[in-house]
Amino acid sequence: MRVSRVLAAALSCGLLTTIGIVAGNAYAQQPPPAVTVAPAAIMDLRESVDLTGKVVAVQKVDIRARVSGFLEKVNFEDGQKVSAGTVLYQVEDGAYRAALQEIDGSIAAAEAQRDLAVLERDRAQRLIATNTVAQATLDTANAQVKKAEADILRLKGSKQNAELNLSYTKILAPFDGVVGLTTVDVGALVAPDSGSLVTLTRLDPIYVEFPVATSLYFSYRERVEKGEMSSGANVSITLPNGTDYPEKGTIDFVASTVSQGTDTVTVRAEFPNPGGTLLDGTLVRVVLEQSDPQDVLAVPQQAVQRDQQGAFVMVVDADSKVELRRVDVSRSSRGQAVVAKGLKEGENVITEGVGKVRPGIVVDAVAATTTGG
């Protein structure tokens, strides 16, 4: 019995030793962890800011009647594009033509009366030279001429007013634009107090207005004055469905006052809108981007890790060894982290697999297919 126990113990010790050797060899033969790296690179990452804006029509008016009358024609379809000078509505003009004709008759009569007064005055002047009539007769004749001329002048003023009223029977589009829904139909009685007949909106070009926080506005002004950034800005917008609008805008107005309720400054940009894509009142996302190139050192944002001491990246050196490197990140833009301190151009940082590594180990590094930006 004792011999068998000793033999079993010996066999057991040998087996354990063999298992330990095999396990140690297996551990020693494990491949280095695979990671993806990307180089710190100089790239153009211009500073930008996202804001919320509202599309505002350059021109928008309510079309109203300027004279009273029954509506004879509506010369457009709802939602139609019209040109400046297009006749939108035609009001019955018979009464206004008759009034104008009546005034023309009154002017002709007044001119005849004036001609007669001139004849009487000339006759009085000849007679007074021979002392045939008194001076008072000539004075009266002169007064009659002036009165006749004044009557003609008054009637001509009435004629201009009548011509205006006649012209107002054609209700015209004051500018190129798109008409809305008409509120009246043929046969309706319209008048200056009838309210809006239709709304005309000019959509090309079009404005986008957006509020900028005063803190951001004054910081921008200060940096421009110090020469840290350019004064120009590229303006782009994103539509409510997430589509980027293809046309770029130009800032043409900055308010001179601050909105007390929101502590913001209103800024306006003008956009081409040839297809009428942008509609008055639409809320859009506005991106303001520095116009001049701004080359900075950057790495993909996912490469930057953080702990209680701040930001750091895992750098893979030429020997495929991992090093923890503390960095200063000034800002992020388009998926890239701008590194102000701690890295040099060309140094590789781990972007994928960072959870599998620790400082000092060797890794199997594969270059990322893209660097973003």
Side-chain angles (χ1 to χ4, degrees):
M1 178 67 70
R2 183 178 299 173
V3 173
S4 63
R5 288 179 178 175
V6 172
L7 181 60
L11 291 172
S12 176
C13 290
L15 180 60
L16 291 174
T17 300
T18 302
I19 293 173
I21 292 172
V22 172
N25 289 338
Y27 180 78
Q29 293 174 1
Q30 284 183 348
V35 296
T36 302
V37 297
I42 300 295
M43 58 184 67
D44 179 11
L45 288 179
R46 310 177 193 196
E47 294 189 55
S48 63
V49 60
D50 288 8
L51 303 164
T52 299
K54 184 178 182 181
V55 178
V56 180
V58 172
Q59 290 177 290
K60 183 178 180 180
V61 297
D62 290 333
I63 304 297
R64 298 172 180 267
R66 302 183 70 172
V67 292
S68 301
F70 289 98
L71 205 60
E72 282 189 335
K73 294 179 182 178
V74 177
N75 296 321
F76 62 88
E77 298 291 334
D78 293 339
Q80 178 183 336
K81 289 184 179 180
V82 297
S83 302
T86 298
V87 179
L88 302 178
Y89 297 98
Q90 175 67 57
V91 178
E92 284 184 341
D93 61 2
Y96 297 97
R97 290 187 180 280
L100 181 59
Q101 187 175 4
E102 183 178 352
I103 292 173
D104 282 336
S106 298
I107 291 175
E111 288 175 343
Q113 188 65 36
R114 179 203 57 194
D115 293 343
L116 179 60
V118 169
L119 291 174
E120 292 293 338
R121 181 197 60 191
D122 293 345
R123 184 181 297 110
Q125 286 177 337
R126 291 194 299 270
L127 292 175
I128 201 172
T130 58
N131 294 323
T132 306
V133 298
Q135 180 64 39
T137 301
L138 179 59
D139 293 341
T140 300
N142 283 325
Q144 290 298 323
V145 172
K146 291 181 179 179
K147 180 178 180 303
E149 291 175 344
D151 288 341
I152 293 172
L153 187 61
R154 174 178 56 80
L155 289 169
K156 285 184 177 180
S158 297
K159 180 180 180 179
Q160 290 179 346
N161 187 55
E163 288 174 337
L164 279 176
N165 287 336
L166 178 60
S167 69
Y168 292 154
T169 60
K170 288 182 172 62
I171 302 176
L172 311 178
F175 51 82
D176 296 349
V178 178
V179 290
L181 298 174
T182 181
T183 61
V184 291
D185 295 318
V186 172
L189 178 63
V190 297
D193 59 357
S194 297
S196 174
L197 306 182
V198 73
T199 299
L200 178 65
T201 306
R202 184 181 179 189
L203 295 178
D204 185 29
I206 203 162
Y207 293 140
V208 174
E209 295 180 357
F210 48 93
V212 177
T214 53
S215 58
L216 181 62
Y217 174 72
F218 287 116
S219 295
Y220 161 77
R221 290 282 299 272
E222 184 177 346
R223 293 185 64 187
V224 170
E225 291 174 359
K226 290 181 179 179
E228 296 178 0
M229 62 187 307
S230 64
S231 59
N234 297 325
V235 190
S236 58
I237 57 176
T238 302
L239 304 179
N241 64 351
T243 302
D244 292 332
Y245 186 66
E247 302 285 352
K248 302 300 181 184
T250 304
I251 293 177
D252 70 341
F253 171 78
V254 177
S256 58
T257 58
V258 174
S259 173
Q260 298 301 316
T262 58
D263 195 29
T264 57
V265 177
T266 298
V267 180
R268 186 181 72 191
E270 183 179 300
F271 285 81
N273 190 31
T277 301
L278 299 179
L279 302 178
D280 181 52
T282 304
L283 294 179
V284 294
R285 183 170 69 89
V286 181
V287 178
L288 288 181
E289 181 184 65
Q290 186 179 354
S291 59
D292 291 344
Q294 190 173 19
D295 294 331
V296 293
L297 182 67
V299 296
Q301 198 165 345
Q302 65 266 30
V304 180
Q305 310 294 314
R306 295 185 183 275
D307 60 15
Q308 292 181 346
Q309 298 180 45
F312 66 92
V313 294
M314 289 296 192
V315 178
V316 178
D317 63 17
D319 298 325
S320 298
K321 189 175 293 186
V322 176
E323 173 192 352
L324 187 151
R325 187 81 60 81
R326 294 289 171 181
V327 294
D328 290 339
V329 177
S330 60
R331 60 185 175 89
S332 296
S333 177
R334 301 199 297 272
Q336 299 289 321
V338 177
V339 179
K341 184 179 180 182
L343 279 178
K344 295 180 181 178
E345 182 182 4
E347 289 189 300
N348 287 314
V349 297
I350 297 177
T351 59
E352 295 181 19
V354 68
K356 300 184 292 184
V357 304
R358 66 181 184 276
I361 72 169
V362 175
V363 294
D364 180 14
V366 178
T369 55
T370 60
T371 58

